[in-house]
Amino acid sequence: MNSQPKIDPGSADVAPYGGPGPVGGLKRWLSGVGLLFWLCVVAPTGLAVLYFGVLASDVYISESRFVVRSPKKPAVSGVGMLLETAGFSNGSDEMRAAQGYISSRDALRALDTDGLARRAWGNDGIFILNRFDPFGFDGSFEELFLYYEDKVAVDFDSETGIATMMVRAFTPQDAQVMNRRLLERAEALVNQLNDRSRGDLVRYAEREVMEAQGRARTAALALAAFRNRAGVIDPERQASVQLQMISKLQDELIGARMQLLQLSAVAGENPQIPLLKVRIAGLQRAIGEQMGEVAGSSGSLSATAAQYQRLQVEREFADRQLAAALATLQDARNEARRQRAYVERVALPSRPDDAMEPLRIRGILSTLIAGLVAWGVLSMLLAGIREHKD
């Protein structure tokens, strides 16, 4: 006759019905998986639980959004279309400059003028693996900049033209203050670039006006010196006057010759004939002198007209250049007064009321899954090696 086995009710390794208990089965399963499971899964997951669950410091993220508006450049879609309806567009160049500045060492230097960054990221209340310069070995500016690049980020959406800046710190106050300070510095940079652009535009136009004034002054002085040297005001007008005088003298000469011809034919002994001959000779001499002043000698009006015309053309051209430079200067001043790019704050720096990082549950689960994958891969490799040896 078979007797039932005796069961010790105090034993946790035996089930009420004689089978193995859950605790004993778990122990045997853990002992069966071996050291590899402990190294790949249990130990990393335990460390992850310790780090994410207890040690890791809370990280608060302050977020702000801004856009650079300019009345000159074309707008884009989305929010840019709304800005365009108001007469403005996204200043992408200034936006890129602001984005680059926030990611630069100059921004960090401005942020840490009073030691704000080092206090916010390196105080003793932060877990040693999260803080800046945890062991006090290297607190250089370059190391702070590397840390800064992990804590400050600026994303630019080309569709809307809006930039989003996120600053990570270990207290809500520090995150908000640093975000606000960086935003103010970015705004100051845009204003500085805008003022420099306007100043350069006006200075260039003023320099063009000064050069044009110098050319116009030189041309005017050259023309005046030529008039004084040649003794003429306007060779063309003076030549016209001389030609009119020559025409009148020629008319008188023709009349005197006709009268002489008539008297010679009718009364050859008329005493007026010698007088008419003297008058004709005088008219011929006067006409020759006047013609000599107009043309035919080095000092004639025709000889000076070519040089006068060249000087006159140079002066007119210099005057036109001066007028164009003055118009450009006025346009530059109007453009400088009208064109102004500036930062429009879409969302002010927020003050977080809850820590967004670290993602504790996800970190623990990620470590567990990665450990299981590593354990499975290594187990298969070891099994294959043992099978190959057998």
Side-chain angles (χ1 to χ4, degrees), residues 29 72 114 116 131 142 194 197 215 228 236 239 255 315:
W29 182 79
K72 179 180 179 181
D114 55 353
L116 173 62
R131 79 176 74 144
E142 290 299 323
N194 188 71
S197 175
R215 289 191 292 268
N228 294 331
E236 293 182 355
R315 195 195 70 172

Side-chain angles (χ1 to χ4, degrees), residues 196-206 331-332 335-336 339:
R196 182 181 301 175
S197 175
R198 293 187 302 171
D200 291 343
L201 181 65
V202 174
R203 280 193 298 271
Y204 177 78
E206 289 176 346
D331 292 340
E335 185 71 13
Q339 180 184 354

Side-chain angles (χ1 to χ4, degrees), residues 216-238:
R217 188 182 302 109
T218 301
L221 292 176
L223 183 60
F226 172 77
R227 285 172 172 171
N228 294 331
R229 184 173 60 254
V232 295
I233 302 300
D234 189 341
E236 293 182 355
R237 293 183 180 179
Q238 288 184 238

Side-chain angles (χ1 to χ4, degrees), residues 67-145:
V67 63
V68 178
R69 300 207 296 184
S70 173
K72 179 180 179 181
K73 299 174 183 178
V76 292
S77 59
V79 175
M81 297 297 291
L82 298 178
L83 297 177
E84 185 179 9
T85 58
F88 292 89
S89 65
N90 297 324
S92 59
D93 294 340
E94 292 82 1
M95 175 65 76
R96 295 295 186 185
Q99 182 182 11
Y101 171 77
I102 293 173
S103 303
S104 69
R105 290 172 173 82
D106 289 340
L108 173 59
R109 192 172 289 109
L111 179 64
D112 197 45
T113 50
D114 55 353
L116 173 62
R118 294 179 183 271
R119 289 196 306 269
W121 291 328
N123 64 78
D124 296 335
I126 305 171
F127 179 54
I128 192 170
L129 296 182
N130 300 135
R131 79 176 74 144
F132 166 69
D133 190 20
F135 304 106
F137 294 153
D138 190 0
S140 64
F141 182 81
E142 290 299 323
E143 289 296 326
L144 181 61
F145 179 70

Side-chain angles (χ1 to χ4, degrees), residues 153-169:
V154 182
D155 295 326
F156 176 66
D157 189 349
S158 59
E159 291 295 325
T160 62
I162 296 177
T164 302
M165 178 168 59
M166 293 180 292
V167 178
R168 290 170 171 80

